[in-house]
């Protein structure tokens, strides 16, 4: 990607945070009335400094991880498995909240302009999540001019807004306009200021996006990525400081029903086209920010699954080469959060900072360790920058966790804890299974012998067969029977088979199953369930004429149960002859249309479920297509 | 069942209707203010007459159907398949609404006594439905003293209430107390009176319960059932007329927050223990009424499934011999209706009458046809009673359908229509499948030949084997191989097999699958997916040492897809060699705990799904237990 394309695409998340960060900060300060608002400048300055420090810190990460240094990788590489998982937990909650907060804020930008839509906040937001879900399942990728436009439009609108605001303020000699009469609910105190700081820090979310995506840049990748990061940080600080300053100068404070940005735009641009453009650009960039989470969340899940910390199904690519399962999980989680908080940005903000700064802190702590171990040319400088970023991030994390605990941070902390619990359990399980499946030690040694005896008798199909592309038809899959049937050799696991065919009526589906069982050239037995003795005799009569000489066993069961008596029979048979491998061959009717499936007994899958814990039972369904 | 037990158990549904029927009638009349209330007596008299007529009509049904004459059976027997289905549709909506309305009314009885609970109407009702679901899944049966008590308590409380109300009224010389000042929203008109009539008729729901349950009585069953029905109708008319009269005399009208019954009880009994007992008995009998639907709904679904009109899964008895699937469907449907209407009895009433009277009308029309065909001793009298009941029920049906259409009856009519559509489609499908599975005509003729050649060579296991109880171990299921493998004969469907084993890693699970495939003594082929050429070569190397001489095919697929390339390969192979039956033998890891299942690829079921429309493909999973 060229830098001018990468900048808007990768910084949509960070820059769009300006739409809610300053407002979140002001919303806390205003609780202390006019006296609280006087703290706007110092708090904003602290946040701007934090942005600078974290930005410089991530410049070091980009240099050290030119192949992409997400928090999970950096923390896992340098600090170990558990810190990596904690960072991943922070990231996952961060991404879920990015979607929820960005959409909440984007809908607020729309309802500020069109207040009549505000009762429909939740349905609109849910609709947007559904649209993102579908778009991403269909392989929508964010790149190119289409995705660059909203970010540039938003940046330009914000710069114009700040310039207009500053010019207006200059006209009045930078005299601060009076805020509307305020009711001071709380006094000014350290706690309030810290809360405001923690809330305002949500303007920093998304700052790590560039360091994750270094390989997407043109060569020399890490240099270009660093330059882009520097631009982004400068823009972010400018917009954040500018919006905060103009809001302060204009005496604008958060109020319900209209965002601070909308109020500023109304003051600066009136209600004309410029206002509409500003609101539209804000909504668009927030939507784009939500979409970035759709790229990042499934990727982190993929990495977790690759390392055995998440279910393997997150490794799968869907038809359109998108990680469908991760996308679905993100959508469901974001929708639940969005709906639970009724799409209210202010209620979601307290949840947000914890995850973000958890990932920041661990990522930068990992970098500190990295430089300490590596000690290359610039290691002292880099270590210093990363350590500064780490300490500052940790401070925000602790501040947010404590001051916002009751107002929502506990949800995020709980989510991180649960995530850790589940991922470590999953990892433990996968390790256990791997150990259980390993080929036995004495067996493993043989292939490990270096330059051992040449493989005797390579199998005919294995050598020189060109790798078949999925669509290429295989050439000679039929092996001569003697190649696979080795009756005279002793196989490592000697298997003696008995095929059992449960048959309820003598119809074509049942006949097919019987023919299949017979074709296996193994001992076979048909099993019939009969509601009574008379019916049983009648069936035996049919069987003598039609049963193809296969032995028949008839079970008389008074109730119309089908699966339970079969299961009992098979269990008893297994207990009596445990050396036998039982292959249950079930006739299964397959209908062309899926909706008719419910109409047919799915005996095979029910049997499979009922018998899953019993060893040496193989359930096979022989389909008959109607 | 003794009559004194049968009466309360079978008439809970009908008698409990008194809790909402009179109120529903008054709620319509009161719309026209005091002038509307003047019509209370004539409308109530018409409903009482209707009860009498329908009651006498059902006495005829009991005599004609001593084995139980539900509307579906009576209408289906006498009028044909479609009228039977329409009656069933009416019944099904009736049962769903019985649950919803009874619970709504029962919760209203509780919240009338404890108004602070009224915001929790929906959760309380949903909890009751969940409790009914669980209780019935666990095989709760309604019988015995436990279930008789609430009905008797309710009847006694109502009789006491009526007696007290009449005594008080006698004290004032039967002077009608003034109703509270009423705002007349509508004028008195024929439409209003008809709506009141239709609403009040909901007091008749459940009247058919006894005729469904004739075989449960002591001999002579039909005589005892008739007597019980007569008692029930007398009680029902007494309670209905009594409650209406007392409400009229006391000037009680429906108001939100307190039921009419609760108002009457407050007036008659104050707020002491008698009041509490009355409300508790009302709630209990309504709960019991809801529970009767849990016996009837699954039974009708069973009958529909038996006749091929509903999915076969409704034939199944659960572990506790309850029709679990029907119970679940009823619970979900009732919960949806209850929640959608926020547990408000008044909103549910307009939906109720249509289904009930649809079933009544068709059932009695069926009886008319029955007598006309049978012409036994009393046929003229019986036909007259049934015809009267039928015409009156049809009048109510049409009245309810028209006057309540917009206020909710359309939902029931739509439900009946959808039900008809779905059941006829299902029936059509089952018929098609039956035709497609029938053994070929020339083949069928042989077993049909009467007294044909004696069955040559009865199979060894078929004769003289006592029917094995589910727990009895089978004695000699192993047939000698020659009995099942008939290589020299030409089977009707000659099957040539190829086993394909997709194998991703050489572990114990894979080895077990390979051994199983080899044990089938059929040509076999292993299939490995490799992400690249180098990995493919490495796997071939392992295979030469470990692959047990089985031919190996390696597919190189760039993406981490597992199922799609396998499906493509198998499809191509099937296209190339359509005569082959392909058995895909998939190693499958089985974990003891269910919650770990998500962690393992369920390749077999995904393959099965992907290949389900292709003929001659059998997917087998060989379990490996960890």
């Amino acid at each position: 990607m060229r830098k001018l394309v990468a900048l808007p695409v990768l910084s949509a998340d960070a820059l769009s945070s300006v739409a809610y960060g300053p407002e979140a900060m002001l919303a806390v300060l205003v609780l202390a009335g006019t006296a609280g608002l006087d703290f706007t400048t110092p708090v904003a300055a602290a946040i701007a400094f934090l942005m600078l420090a974290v930005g410089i810190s991530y410049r070091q990460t980009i240099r050290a991880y030119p192949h992409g240094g997400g928090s999970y990788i950096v923390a896992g590489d340098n600090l170990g498995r558990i810190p990596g998982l904690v960072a991943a937990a922070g990231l996952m909650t961060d991404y879920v909240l990015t979607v929820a907060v960005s959409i909440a804020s984007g809908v607020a930008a729309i309802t500020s302009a069109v207040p009549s839509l505000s009762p429909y906040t939740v349905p609109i937001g849910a609709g947007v999540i559904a649209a993102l879900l579908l778009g991403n399942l269909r392989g929508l990728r964010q790149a190119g001019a289409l995705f660059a436009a909203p970010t540039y439009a938003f940046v330009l609108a914000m710069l114009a807004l700040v310039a207009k605001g500053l010019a207006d303020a200059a006209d009045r000699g930078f005299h601060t306009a009076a805020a509307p009469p305020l009711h001071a609910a709380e006094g000014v105190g350290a706690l309030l200021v810290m809360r405001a700081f923690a809330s305002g820090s949500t303007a920093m979310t998304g700052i790590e996006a560039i360091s994750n995506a270094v390989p997407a840049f043109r060569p020399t990748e890490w240099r270009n990525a660093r330059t882009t990061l520097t631009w982004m940080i400068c823009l972010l600080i400018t917009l954040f400081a500018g919006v905060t300053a103009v809001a302060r100068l204009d005496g604008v404070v958060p109020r319900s029903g209209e965002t601070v940005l909308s109020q500023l735009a109304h003051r600066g641009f009136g209600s004309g086209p410029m206002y509409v453009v500003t609101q539209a650009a804000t909504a668009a960039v927030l939507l784009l920010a939500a979409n970035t989470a759709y790229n990042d969340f499934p990727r982190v899940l993929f990495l977790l699954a690759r390392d055995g910390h998440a279910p393997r199904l997150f490794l799968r690519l869907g038809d359109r080469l998108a990680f469908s399962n991760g996308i679905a999980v993100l959508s469901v989680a974001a929708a639940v959060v969005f709906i639970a908080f009724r799409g209210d940005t202010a209620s979601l903000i307290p949840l947000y900072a914890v995850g973000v700064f958890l990932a920041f802190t661990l990522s930068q702590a990992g970098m500190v360790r990295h430089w300490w171990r590596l000690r290359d040319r610039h290691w002292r400088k880099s270590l210093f920058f990363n350590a500064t970023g780490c300490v500052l991030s940790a401070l925000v994390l602790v501040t947010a966790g404590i001051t916002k605990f009751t107002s929502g941070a506990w949800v995020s902390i709980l989510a991180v804890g649960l995530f850790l619990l589940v991922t470590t359990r999953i990892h433990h399980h996968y390790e256990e299974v791997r150990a259980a499946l390993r080929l036995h030690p004495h067996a493993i040694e043989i292939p490990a012998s270096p330059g051992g005896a040449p493989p005797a008798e390579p199998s005919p199909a294995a050598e020189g067969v060109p790798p078949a592309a999925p669509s290429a038809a295989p050439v000679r899959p039929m092996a001569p029977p003697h190649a696979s049937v080795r009756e005279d050799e002793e196989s490592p696991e000697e298997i003696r088979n008995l095929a059992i065919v449960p048959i309820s009526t003598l119809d074509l589906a049942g006949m097919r199953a019987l023919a299949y069982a017979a074709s296996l050239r193994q001992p076979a037995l048909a099993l019939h369930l009969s509601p009574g003795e008379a019916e049983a005799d009648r069936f035996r009569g049919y069987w003598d004429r039609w049963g193809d000489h296969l032995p028949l066993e008839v079970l008389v069961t008074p109730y119309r149960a089908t699966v339970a008596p079969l299961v009992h029979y098979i269990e008893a048979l297994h207990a009596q002859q445990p050396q036998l491998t039982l292959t249950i061959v079930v006739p299964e009717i397959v209908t062309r249309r899926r909706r008719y499936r419910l109409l047919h007994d799915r005996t095979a899958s029910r049997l499979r479920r009922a018998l899953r814990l019993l060893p040496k039972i193989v359930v096979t369904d022989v389909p008959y297509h109607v």
Side-chain angles (χ1 to χ4, degrees), chain A residues 189-208:
Chain A
L191 203 64
L192 183 95
V193 173
M194 279 162 70
R195 260 162 64 206
F197 175 67
S199 289
S201 314
T202 53
M204 290 178 59
T205 57
I207 224 170
E208 79 289 2

Side-chain angles (χ1 to χ4, degrees), chain A residues 23-60:
Chain A
E23 175 156 6
M25 177 181 71
L26 291 172
V28 175
L29 290 175
V30 85
L31 291 175
T34 321
L37 286 182
D38 289 341
F39 280 82
T40 306
T41 312
V43 172
I47 293 173
F49 176 71
L50 186 66
M51 288 172 175
L52 191 68
V54 172
I56 295 175
S57 179
Y58 268 103
R59 280 172 55 94
Q60 316 310 317

Side-chain angles (χ1 to χ4, degrees), chain A residues 377-402:
Chain A
R377 203 152 54 96
H378 296 296
W379 74 276
R380 282 171 207 280
K381 197 183 71 183
S382 294
L383 189 148
F384 171 76
F385 285 133
N386 280 135
T388 312
C390 174
V391 169
L392 291 176
S393 298
L395 277 177
V396 181
L397 173 63
V398 172
T399 309
I402 293 173

Side-chain angles (χ1 to χ4, degrees), chain A residues 118-350:
Chain A
S118 63
Y120 305 106
T121 299
V122 172
I124 292 174
V128 171
I129 293 178
L132 285 173
L133 169 66
L134 291 178
N136 280 284
L137 283 183
R138 296 179 62 89
L140 174 81
R141 282 274 175 277
Q142 74 176 59
L146 187 67
F147 287 96
T151 311
Y152 280 125
F154 176 71
V155 168
L156 290 178
M158 285 300 108
L159 289 177
L161 188 64
V162 170
K164 184 73 168 55
L166 290 178
D168 288 350
D171 282 351
R172 355 179 255 276
F174 288 104
H175 180 72
T176 301
L182 294 169
H183 168 71
E186 303 183 25
V188 180
L191 203 64
L192 183 95
V193 173
M194 279 162 70
R195 260 162 64 206
F197 175 67
S199 289
S201 314
T202 53
M204 290 178 59
T205 57
I207 224 170
E208 79 289 2
I210 292 177
S211 69
N212 293 344
V214 182
F217 282 85
R218 293 193 174 174
T220 308
E221 290 86 352
W222 69 271
R223 275 193 194 285
N224 284 324
R226 273 178 93 150
T227 314
T228 311
L229 177 64
T230 309
W231 292 353
M232 183 182 89
I233 293 290
C234 293
L235 266 178
L236 180 59
I237 293 177
T238 309
L239 295 188
F240 178 78
V243 167
T244 311
V246 172
R248 178 82 187 106
L249 288 168
D250 281 1
V252 165
V253 292
R255 60 183 169 86
S256 74
E258 187 172 10
T259 62
V260 165
L261 277 195
S262 168
Q263 293 183 54
L264 291 179
H266 264 311
R267 283 181 185 237
F269 305 141
S271 299
M274 262 308 283
Y275 170 77
V276 174
V277 167
T278 305
Q279 292 305 105
T282 307
V285 79
L286 284 161
L287 184 68
L288 194 55
N291 195 51
T292 57
Y294 274 86
N295 292 314
D296 294 338
F297 183 94
R299 216 195 43 237
V300 175
L301 259 181
F302 170 84
L303 294 174
L304 287 167
R306 191 198 58 187
D307 299 347
H309 290 120
R312 242 171 243 159
L313 54 92
F314 294 114
L315 292 176
R316 272 183 230 150
L317 282 167
D319 292 341
R320 308 264 182 159
L321 302 183
F323 289 113
S324 332
N325 293 319
I327 289 168
V329 169
L330 174 61
S331 299
V332 170
V336 166
V337 170
F338 186 86
I339 292 168
F341 287 83
R342 312 233 159 247
D344 179 32
T345 316
S347 321
L348 285 166
I349 288 286

Side-chain angles (χ1 to χ4, degrees), chain A residues 504 528-531 555-568 601 603 606:
Chain A
S504 58
H528 177 70
L529 297 180
S530 220
L555 307 179
V556 175
T557 57
Y559 303 108
R560 282 179 171 269
T562 48
V563 168
L566 285 178
V567 168
H568 286 141
D601 291 333
T603 313
R606 288 166 68 212

Side-chain angles (χ1 to χ4, degrees), chain A residues 472-499:
Chain A
V475 191
R476 47 191 159 80
M478 275 296 288
H482 62 81
S484 61
V485 179
R486 309 171 320 125
E487 304 195 29
D488 41 352
E489 289 176 52
E490 194 198 334
S491 79
E493 193 171 5
E494 188 71 51
I495 292 185
R496 285 182 58 208
N497 273 309
L498 168 65

